[in-house]
Amino acid sequence: MREPRDINDADLRDRAVAAARGDAPFDRLIHGATLADVATGELRPADIGMCGSLIASVHPTGHRTDAHDIVAATGLIAAPGLIDTHMHVESSMVTPETYAAAVLPRGVTTVVWDPHEFGNVAGVAGVEYALDSAARSAMRILPLAPSCVPSAPGFESTGADFGPDVIAELLARPGIHGLAEVMDMRSVTSRAPRMRGIVQAGLASGKLVCGHARSLTGPELQAYAAAGITSDHEMTSAEDLLEKLRAGLTIELRGSHPYLLPDFAAALQSLPQMPATVTFCSDDVFPDDLLATGGVNEMLRRMIAHGLDPLRALQATTLNAAIRIGRRDIGLIGPGRRADIVLFDGLHSLNARIVLRNGAPIAVDAGASDFPEAFLKTCNLVPLSAGDFAIAAKGPRVRLATISRPRFTEWGEVGAEVHGGVVVPPDGTTMIAVINRYGPPNPTPRVGFLQGWGRWDGAFASTVSHDSHNLTVFGGAAVDMAAAANAVIEAGGGMAVAQDGQVVQVLPLPVAGLVSAAPLAEVAEVFSAVRSAMDQVVAWEPPYLTFKALVGATLACNAGPHQTDLGIADSHTGLLRTSPVLEDGSA
């Protein structure tokens, strides 16, 4: 957002100094609060005097009453505005305006937005939309330049291609605050020319260079950090967290994998002090969760509930985060800082009673968003038939390569029968198909087989499919897959569930196939209905086989095999199989 009046304005500083001395009244005074001092780790009574957007004084309670406006805060906790160091607006399937209206009243005053979902679909227009949205927002939105468009070049197709020259141009824009998560890990550590150039552009800009170090350890992790990447949010265990802290990375601890949080809280609480390099982020938040609990504020609440000291948790979400993003004006309640202040009802409930942005109560109106032409009609596919999901093979039997396990995938093999020149899906497998929605007309679905995904009675189709966001379809029967896919195509993008050849539920996401312009409550209600419908299709097995696994199954930059529109891709080993058929004949 455009700050209303820069806090380094000399006249504003004159007023603040005079008010701090007692020679002039404050514009606004918070009276009777308990200050959560994230610098010292103290809870102490304090009043907070403000002049415009600037904090002028933090002083003992009751010493001053001279203010044009007094905010009664007895029984409330005063904390700095919360900062989310890594997130994707698009994952909430609503506009940036709607997202801000959901989290700002909960005390989230600043977010660092990686718009790589929009970038992969709409190219530079997607990043420019993020910049325009940030300039208009009531919340402070700091967009980054997407580093991986596509996330795994040569292994998937997307709507754009950001090479080093495009990245350098984006980083030169004043509204861009750094290089977003560098996901093509193998290319970083092998010093592949394209990724080398992208990372070097980030380093040359002097801005943030953010990471995605999923499953990296030992020499590979050291090499990744040595390339100049300074953060990671892809922790998989407490041991992984500590190794990355010891490697000097800034940790963006995310709330989107809640089953890991108890171990993270215990590990951080066991340390002598809260590391200055631990921050919190939300990463991906589904719309029903956004409506119910918000963004990074829920991560803060959960970490405290799991035993992390509340002041340590607040430090991560405020002061540490401000240091990470290079903003000395926020993240701390103290004289001379920007007056982003949240009054919570308690350190465990963390319900925001009053939120001040730049010294004034927030005024949030979701409003409308003006979408660029590149966001519209991005799912121009012809209807599909059940036959489009068939895999041709010579018989009577074949060996198939499979993608084993959700999330942490491995290569597998299984035998299958061939009837009429077509592979019969083996028992215990789930079909997955990816259809390129950016390329030539009438693309052929690339079909593969998943193992460890349960027994499916129906199908799911989605254009929310990280990070290429091609149309991705899962199912136990081709007729259901065709029905779900066609429902998404007709909606112009989104999600659909089908059973017995009939569509059960559809969530239209016509804006870039990722987002709806509808109100959050409406999007959340329909999304929740999609999730409920999927509960009847497959029996989930947390923590890995969950609904969330559906939208990440094509993330080809991660280790292991992943289905893409080009085949079964394993970017870490350089293997791409255009067909799952390993050998024809009598295997």
Side-chain angles (χ1 to χ4, degrees):
M1 67 171 295
R2 294 188 178 94
E3 307 292 358
R5 185 176 186 182
D6 190 84
I7 60 172
N8 290 327
D9 177 86
D11 293 338
L12 177 59
R13 292 281 177 176
D14 288 344
R15 289 206 299 121
V17 169
R21 288 197 313 254
D23 297 335
F26 301 114
D27 291 341
R28 181 168 282 114
L29 176 69
I30 295 175
H31 172 71
T34 297
L35 175 66
D37 192 327
V38 295
T40 65
E42 298 175 291
L43 283 172
R44 55 188 174 87
D47 288 354
I48 306 163
M50 290 158 275
C51 290
S53 56
L54 189 65
I55 297 173
S57 176
V58 179
H59 52 265
T61 298
H63 281 212
R64 300 278 297 275
T65 59
D66 52 326
H68 299 297
D69 177 53
I70 295 180
V71 179
T74 300
L76 300 180
I77 304 292
L82 305 182
I83 302 169
D84 189 336
T85 54
H86 173 76
M87 53 80 70
H88 309 279
V89 169
E90 308 96 310
S91 293
S92 296
M93 305 173 200
V94 293
T95 66
E97 293 85 353
T98 299
Y99 185 95
V103 302
L104 188 51
R106 290 178 161 108
V108 182
T109 54
T110 303
V111 301
V112 180
W113 177 16
D114 173 8
H116 70 196
E117 326 292 2
F118 282 148
N120 271 291
V121 174
V124 170
V127 183
E128 291 175 337
Y129 170 76
L131 287 168
D132 292 342
S133 298
R136 297 191 307 269
S137 181
M139 182 172 63
R140 185 180 296 106
I141 298 177
L142 308 178
L144 303 175
S147 67
C148 291
V149 179
S151 75
F155 295 92
E156 62 183 353
S157 304
T158 63
D161 186 349
F162 289 2
D165 291 344
V166 174
I167 294 296
E169 189 276 325
L170 289 173
L171 285 166
R173 302 191 187 198
I176 293 293
H177 290 263
L179 184 67
E181 57 175 312
V182 180
M183 306 170 67
D184 191 358
M185 298 166 281
R186 182 56 181 262
S187 292
V188 172
T189 58
S190 68
R191 300 297 279 170
R194 171 193 168 96
M195 186 50 66
R196 177 180 180 274
I198 288 172
V199 173
Q200 288 302 123
L203 296 174
S205 74
K207 299 179 179 181
L208 298 176
V209 179
C210 305
H212 171 115
R214 171 81 165 268
S215 302
L216 294 186
T217 187
E220 288 298 302
L221 177 62
Q222 298 293 313
Y224 186 78
I229 297 165
T230 56
S231 70
D232 181 49
H233 58 275
E234 289 282 338
M235 268 56 64
T236 59
S237 67
E239 292 76 18
D240 186 35
L241 164 64
L242 292 173
E243 183 181 6
K244 287 170 178 174
L245 276 172
R246 290 162 182 156
L249 293 174
T250 292
I251 303 302
E252 300 154 344
L253 207 58
R254 63 181 175 180
S256 49
H257 292 296
Y259 64 93
L260 294 170
L261 299 188
D263 289 344
F264 291 160
L268 292 174
Q269 192 62 33
S270 71
L271 297 175
Q273 61 186 22
M274 186 65 168
T277 49
V278 172
T279 70
F280 289 171
C281 74
S282 60
D283 199 4
D284 303 304
V285 179
F286 285 141
D288 52 351
D289 294 327
L290 180 67
L291 179 66
T293 58
V296 76
N297 60 293
E298 176 64 5
M299 172 64 174
L300 176 64
R301 183 182 294 111
R302 288 183 176 183
M303 289 295 284
I304 293 171
H306 290 311
L308 183 61
D309 177 81
L311 270 297
R312 288 192 177 200
L314 275 171
Q315 177 192 331
T317 329
T318 56
L319 181 59
N320 288 4
I323 293 170
R324 162 62 186 168
I325 64 176
R327 291 292 299 256
R328 297 186 61 84
D329 58 328
I330 59 177
L332 183 68
I333 295 178
R337 304 276 179 156
R338 194 176 296 279
D340 285 6
I341 300 170
V342 186
L343 295 175
F344 291 114
D345 63 1
L347 281 176
H348 289 83
S349 56
L350 289 172
N351 295 314
R353 298 302 185 191
I354 298 173
V355 180
L356 303 181
R357 277 282 292 107
N358 284 306
I362 59 169
V364 177
D365 178 11
S369 204
D370 185 16
F371 301 114
E373 187 68 25
F375 279 29
L376 307 177
K377 298 181 180 178
T378 63
C379 192
N380 296 322
L381 296 170
V382 299
L384 299 167
S385 68
D388 290 321
F389 297 95
I391 298 175
K394 299 174 182 178
R397 291 185 59 81
V398 293
R399 296 293 297 174
L400 301 174
T402 64
I403 301 169
S404 179
R405 301 197 311 165
R407 291 197 66 224
F408 299 99
T409 61
E410 297 176 342
W411 287 98
E413 286 189 25
V414 67
E417 295 183 355
V418 178
H419 291 174
V422 173
V423 173
V424 177
D427 287 342
T429 65
T430 302
M431 285 188 286
I432 179 173
V434 182
I435 302 98
N436 180 1
R437 65 176 170 121
Y438 310 108
N442 307 332
T444 300
R446 293 284 188 177
V447 182
F449 295 95
L450 306 171
Q451 288 183 299
W453 281 70
R455 189 172 188 87
W456 282 56
D457 180 22
F460 174 78
S462 177
T463 50
V464 179
S465 188
H466 298 292
D467 271 332
S468 61
H469 299 295
N470 284 306
L471 176 57
T472 303
V473 193
F474 304 78
V479 64
D480 293 331
M481 296 173 71
N486 289 336
V488 170
I489 292 169
E490 185 177 355
M495 296 178 169
V497 182
Q499 286 184 300
D500 300 322
Q502 301 297 314
V503 177
V504 175
Q505 190 67 53
V506 181
L507 170 62
L509 299 173
V511 180
L514 302 173
V515 162
S516 170
L520 174 58
E522 181 180 323
V523 178
E525 180 180 9
V526 181
F527 176 79
S528 182
V530 168
R531 283 221 266 199
S532 295
M534 281 303 300
D535 291 344
Q536 308 306 310
V537 171
V538 60
W540 302 117
E541 298 176 11
Y544 302 129
L545 180 57
T546 63
F547 184 91
K548 185 178 176 63
L550 296 171
V551 299
T554 64
L555 195 53
C557 63
N558 282 341
H562 295 80
Q563 188 71 38
T564 77
D565 68 299
L566 300 181
I568 309 175
D570 188 339
S571 63
H572 284 230
T573 63
L575 180 61
L576 176 66
R577 293 192 179 279
T578 58
S579 169
V581 176
L582 293 174
E583 56 184 65
D584 289 351
S586 56

